[in-house]
Amino acid sequence: MQENKKKQILLVGNPNVGKSTVFNTLCNKKQKTGNYAGVTVASHSGKYVYENEEVEVIDLPGSYSVYPSSEDEAIFSKYLIDEQKNYAGVVYILEALSLKRGLLLFQQIQDFGIPMILIVNQIDQAERRGVTIDIQKFSEALGIKIIQTNAKEQIGIDEVREAVYNNEFLKADKISFETPNEHKDFIQKLASHKGFDNEYKAWMSLSLGTDLGRIGSVVEQINGSEAKSLVPKRLQVQETVRRYQYVDKILEDVISKKAQFKELLTEKLDKVLVHKFWGYVVFLLILLVIFQSVFFLAEYPMNWIESFFSWLAAFTGEHLPEGPVNSLISNGIVPGIGGIVVFAPQIGILLYFLYLLEDSGYMARVVFLMDRLLRPFGLNGKSIVPLVSGTACAIPAVISTRNIENVKERLLTILVTPFMTCSARLPVYSIVIGLIISEGSFLGIKYKALVLMAMYLLGFLVALLSAAILKGFIKNQGKTYLVMDLPAYKKPLFGYDFKMVLGKVWDFITGAGKIIFIVSIIIWFLSYFGPKQKADELVAANVHLDHSYLAKMGKGIEPVIAPLGYDWKMGVGILTSFVAREVFVGTMSTLYSLEDDAPEVKVIDKMRRDVKPNGEKVFSFATGISVLLFYAFAMQCVSTLAVVYRETKSWKWTGFQVVMMTGLAYFVSMIAYQILK
Amino acid sequence: MEEKGLHKLSGFPKNKMGKILGYDNDHLKMPNKIIEMGLLPETIFRILYQAPFNGPMYVEFGAEKSRIALREEEGDYIIVEELN
């Protein structure tokens, strides 16, 4: 087979210009997972093959300028500049309806000497509004190859592939940004001193402010008043204004407008969606619909999955040879994994809604509505996105804080987001609520559903409260502000989002499945063997559970967990949950299935019947509430911690989060148990 | 800013056309994003909505009718005049 040639290209543009649509239609090969798109922040990559050439497409986070004002944009600039050797060129996407704004960043990149191809996307939309763009003139003015696309309809995509294949990336032959006269001397000196091959690179290194410390010798050559005017911020403003003037001149010749256009759909929708009163009503309704669907729509597939796994457990129980391994598989591993897979529909539905909301442009409106309400808690309007997506999983939620510009607000959001009820808590809540809350309903809503809703509300309130408390302890760095584009509404990519959701759900199942599988086996070993009982044996095998190593370990931590109302088995469950919360379910299934010789009794019934040595029920109301509260507050997720560390780059804050959350969990659970018992 | 016709963007009446004249003397403290997003001198704009309790303003501006949300604090940096 012929070896494919390889090439890397970058996909760059402002936020909300249809970049992800282009990315998706361009990349027909399986995308790398592991980056959490949807609530799109992290850069991700995909691949396609064209004429025996394999092209890796890096989708960088959207940005307005090379001067970063948030972590997101910092990633963008860093990649663009540092990785220049590795990519063949930049495919820059402009949206036909906002050429002006998009050209700012375009010119900065062009002046930096990076080869580019330009895509003008959604030209049909512009034409529908009476705007005609003279592509020929445009291409000449910018000195670049322009391809018109309508990514949604797959129009122009093959041309892009062809142009990439033929390396039609062009560098600008002259710099469009003219260094202001008052700085010209200095910039030229700096450029030759540092060996920059053009003036703009020197200018940018000054404007970024990062190089100031290292140019001492050059700065000395100029007089004091000139050095004083070289404030990075001032330079950036100067550059932006000049570039826009230049862009205006170009566009004058390129665009001809027949009539003033109006964004009719957006205008109409926003009359309601950002309304002082109705805006909030609609937002609450949307949340309500999401949670209704999560709990009621998901019920059907959940029942199918449940029956499948009970069938599988019975089947393996019957057909595997009798003995401990049989019990491990049919009562431990299968129900343990089933206990997780059963939540796949709920997680999927939740994620799907979040993707659609983000995609349609609605999330920006939620930020607009919530900003003022979140500020007293030390948060930014943009914090609402991580908080809401935290109800699916804290990991993408923590990553999505990257577009919060203010460092303090971002840190606060990262610290409190894991309080939101993530989907890994659902399996635990469902089991415990099933054990301690009676059937019956209030106003047609089941008690169990009410308690579950209360748990979600609790997570949200505690997130807000802890933010309000913590904000007093975090130093403020820099100003807080909100300057945000409100994109036009568009039809979300239903099919693409669905595909993404399936991928995420599969990741969740396989990830959790692996952990549960391993934990089940370890637990089984620890419970099958125990300290030697006769002098001549190394260890005792096939011991009664109460005499196993596991029991010994569990009983070792009993003094710590007894005030919370837990017996040693729950202790083991909680310990294993520090890997991931949902492991609790697998651990409990394994533990209880190992315990006695009545495999026909369902695990949940065994749990219900289990009593402490003093005759009290293990899962009494008091213990149940205590477990619920513990799982609501404790930081029990290694993956989230890893991401928090990556995003904060601080062991101090990561450690603080563990201690704060778990300490709070311990304290609250203890109080609840002691009061209720 | 007490001259007739001159205002800050924050506090500018809703649904009236206005033109950006420039920025406050303090503008080096102003987030760059304001300028990067295109709120430049000579730009025509209109405030369409404002979130309750003096929340962010929803501003439509420029020939391309871009929409932007910004807080009153940011609006304080921007000097505007009313158009008739």
Side-chain angles (χ1 to χ4, degrees), chain A residues 311-328:
Chain A
W311 170 82
L312 191 66
F315 181 84
T316 49
E318 230 168 84
H319 289 83
L320 287 171
E322 289 274 328
V325 176
N326 176 315
S327 127
L328 168 71

Side-chain angles (χ1 to χ4, degrees), chain A residues 458-470:
Chain A
L458 182 70
F460 179 59
L461 291 178
V462 171
L464 285 187
L465 273 177
S466 45
I469 294 166
L470 289 175

Side-chain angles (χ1 to χ4, degrees), chain A residues 291-306:
Chain A
F291 287 113
Q292 278 279 343
S293 322
V294 165
F295 295 117
F296 299 104
L297 204 67
E299 221 169 81
Y300 304 97
M302 286 173 81
N303 284 335
W304 305 332
I305 295 170
E306 226 164 22

